[in-house]
Amino acid sequence: MKRISEAKMGGKQAETSNPRDRGSSIWCLLVLVIGALVVTAAALTILKYLHFSKNNEAHPINKKYADALELALQFFDVQKSGKLVDNRIPWRGDSGLQDGCEENLDLSKGMYDAGDAIKFGFPMAFTATVLSWSILEYGDQMNAVKQLGYAYNSLRWITNYLINSHPSENVLYFQVGDPGLDHKCWERPETMTERRPVTQVNTSFPGTEVAAETAAALASASLVFKENDPDYSSSLLTHARQLFTFADTYRASYSISIPQVQGFYNSTGYGDELLWAASWLYHATRDDSYLRYVTELNGQRLANMEITTWFSWDDKLAGTQVLLSRIIFFGAKDMPTVENLDLQMYRKTAELVMCGLLPDSPTATSRRTDGGLIWITEWNPLQHAVASAFLAVLYSDYMLTSQTETLYCSGNSYKPDDLRNFAISQVNRNLVAKETLCRMIDMCSA
């Protein structure tokens, strides 16, 4: 299997008494939950170790995970806006074709947020980043079950939108549509008639987290398309660099600059997005300035070393810790001492995250259901369980590939398979979401 180290890298919503809004908040992050399910199902498509055995024979494909992957990628097609191409969802049609026209922009593509007809750029960019990560790490498994092409297409559908949302260096359009109007009316996006305003961040009204997350999405996607479409990859990387500079130079939360976003995807801070974006830019460019950014310049100030968090659209620290740990696993041999020590701290914190997930660990989190499912919040609860499973699969695979045999948790030792078994337990409990989605799609098609 091609690993990215070898082949590539060389919301929280306010509760409301309105029944329509309460229904929306339940479904609001479903596309992100399914996005996480994509990566986890892809990671578990090959039954055992997620790499080819020594005799180059792949392990048997587990059909239930392959089916979950297929359905999850089909759900991305359900969410698409714009002029649909090779549409495989018969009850979906063209929509949002005039989005952005008031600003002379083509914002027709992108993806709607769950059952809404709004395009929220902050979580959409996060979806693209995680989808890119899954393709980079587990594209071979996706290809083995004939889903890689769909993953590429869905990713490009989002990144085309994100590129068009960034018409100049210090301007980023991050929302299309009026959530208030949208939440008052159930309608098909194909027949919506209300005005579709667009909202931007700029130097007067900055939005560090949304600009940085978009930079992460485009930087990670540039790696995905680097071999097959180098010109497109270069364009993605140019936008990513500009957006990161914009995010870092004009530091302010978009939730403060534009208070109306607080009722939908309110941000709790932007330090994690800056580290996340710089980490992806380092992997995409090998520019040491991005590595210094996440280590000696900002590591101690923004990374909250040795404090564990939950990976989500709003908090990328755990994802950043795992992403930077892979440098220690695979590429830190000749690294300067200062950067190496800081990266070791990221890895140490990633290990604390892993120890918290393992149910038998002395430091295991108690935030689980009686059946063992990670449970952080009643709103969109599956996102944390599946995102945790994804990080556990990645870390397990990094250990296996680097021949790291043991993870120590307060004196107890664990193997890569222990992390994998945790991930499988979460995914198996989450496959009920697959059945729910099947029923929803069937209902909609009827």
Side-chain angles (χ1 to χ4, degrees):
M1 184 181 80
K2 283 201 246 180
R3 304 289 306 160
I4 52 177
S5 59
E6 301 162 349
K8 300 288 186 184
M9 289 193 174
K12 303 166 194 155
Q13 284 192 300
E15 186 171 348
T16 172
S17 59
N18 187 315
R20 169 66 172 93
D21 288 341
R22 288 179 62 85
S24 294
S25 61
I26 292 171
W27 288 102
C28 187
L29 282 174
L30 183 57
V31 70
L32 301 185
V33 172
I34 296 302
L37 182 57
V38 167
V39 296
T40 306
L44 293 171
T45 298
I46 300 302
L47 185 60
K48 187 65 173 169
Y49 290 120
L50 297 173
H51 58 67
F52 291 108
S53 58
K54 291 182 180 179
N55 60 4
N56 291 324
E57 292 180 2
H59 290 285
I61 290 173
N62 187 313
K63 188 175 185 302
K64 71 176 178 180
Y65 299 134
D67 288 347
L69 172 62
E70 180 179 7
L71 185 64
L73 286 166
Q74 187 178 3
F75 189 63
F76 282 121
D77 288 333
V78 170
Q79 298 304 116
K80 284 180 178 177
S81 168
K83 182 74 175 176
L84 301 185
V85 180
D86 298 326
N87 180 26
R88 54 179 182 155
I89 308 298
W91 47 270
R92 281 303 322 277
D94 299 342
S95 62
L97 298 180
Q98 299 303 311
D99 284 356
C101 64
E102 293 182 4
E103 300 292 327
N104 295 316
L105 298 173
D106 179 7
L107 301 181
S108 60
K109 288 188 176 180
M111 294 191 181
Y112 297 122
D113 194 81
D116 304 323
I118 306 300
K119 299 173 193 174
F120 292 106
F122 190 28
M124 192 195 309
F126 174 70
T127 300
T129 310
V130 176
L131 182 56
S132 292
W133 200 358
S134 70
I135 294 171
L136 290 166
E137 298 279 14
Y138 302 114
D140 288 346
Q141 281 64 49
M142 291 182 174
N143 192 47
V145 291
K146 298 180 173 56
Q147 296 301 310
L148 182 58
Y150 296 120
Y152 272 106
N153 290 340
S154 292
L155 178 60
R156 189 185 287 262
W157 200 266
I158 298 176
T159 54
N160 283 347
Y161 167 83
L162 295 177
I163 286 176
N164 288 353
S165 298
H166 181 227
S168 60
E169 291 190 19
N170 296 326
V171 173
L172 175 67
Y173 290 85
F174 68 88
Q175 182 174 299
V176 178
D178 183 328
L181 291 177
D182 180 83
H183 282 196
K184 291 177 182 178
C185 179
W186 286 106
E187 62 182 344
R188 299 175 68 242
E190 291 83 356
T191 58
M192 59 185 174
T193 58
E194 65 268 22
R195 183 172 169 265
R196 303 274 291 168
V198 294
T199 311
Q200 65 170 254
V201 289
N202 51 47
T203 57
S204 299
F205 298 94
T208 294
E209 57 275 273
V210 67
E213 181 57 62
T214 306
L218 298 179
S220 58
S222 75
L223 286 164
V224 173
F225 295 106
K226 187 173 183 178
E227 293 181 3
N228 296 332
D229 194 341
D231 289 340
Y232 186 60
S233 173
S234 178
S235 176
L236 290 168
L237 196 52
T238 296
H239 283 276
R241 286 180 179 274
Q242 291 176 356
L243 281 163
F244 179 76
T245 300
F246 170 44
D248 192 39
T249 303
Y250 300 91
R251 291 193 182 187
S253 172
Y254 92 137
S255 295
I256 295 174
S257 296
I258 307 172
Q260 58 264 36
V261 307
Q262 295 175 13
F264 300 93
Y265 287 99
N266 183 43
S267 171
T268 56
Y270 56 72
D272 55 310
E273 278 84 19
L274 287 172
L275 295 175
W276 175 243
S279 300
W280 277 111
L281 278 161
Y282 172 70
H283 282 94
T285 65
R286 291 299 176 181
D287 183 336
D288 286 341
S289 68
Y290 294 117
L291 183 62
R292 290 195 298 273
Y293 187 96
V294 300
T295 53
E296 57 185 294
L297 296 180
N298 293 286
Q300 295 299 323
R301 189 159 58 90
L302 298 179
N304 294 329
M305 299 294 192
E306 299 190 65
I307 298 175
T308 61
T309 57
W310 297 99
F311 187 43
S312 73
W313 60 269
D314 183 41
D315 193 336
K316 285 81 177 190
L317 280 180
T320 301
Q321 289 146 12
V322 172
L323 182 62
L324 292 176
S325 294
R326 74 181 330 285
I327 302 174
I328 293 294
F329 277 115
F330 303 119
K333 182 178 179 181
D334 300 319
M335 188 164 293
T337 301
V338 174
E339 283 84 352
N340 194 307
L341 290 174
D342 283 336
L343 288 174
Q344 292 287 359
M345 289 300 297
Y346 279 106
R347 178 174 172 177
K348 182 178 180 180
T349 309
E351 289 179 346
L352 293 176
V353 172
M354 296 301 117
C355 291
L357 297 178
L358 290 168
D360 297 328
S361 164
T363 56
T365 179
S366 61
R367 303 183 73 175
R368 328 176 181 251
T369 66
D370 291 341
L373 183 72
I374 294 294
W375 183 273
I376 307 304
T377 174
E378 64 176 315
W379 297 108
N380 317 294
L382 297 183
Q383 64 165 320
H384 294 102
V386 182
S388 297
F390 174 53
L391 293 184
V393 166
L394 279 172
Y395 208 84
S396 170
D397 208 16
Y398 294 167
M399 291 178 67
L400 284 165
T401 305
S402 65
Q403 298 182 330
T404 303
E405 296 183 355
T406 306
L407 169 69
Y408 291 99
C409 301
S410 299
N412 290 12
S413 61
Y414 299 90
K415 302 296 183 184
D417 273 356
D418 294 316
L419 287 171
R420 182 166 306 285
N421 290 337
F422 160 77
I424 290 173
S425 74
Q426 300 301 295
V427 173
N428 285 344
R429 289 180 173 88
N430 272 281
L431 284 180
V432 66
K434 169 190 168 185
E435 303 303 325
T436 301
L437 181 58
C438 283
R439 290 194 295 271
M440 183 182 74
I441 291 175
D442 286 345
M443 177 184 67
C444 292
S445 62

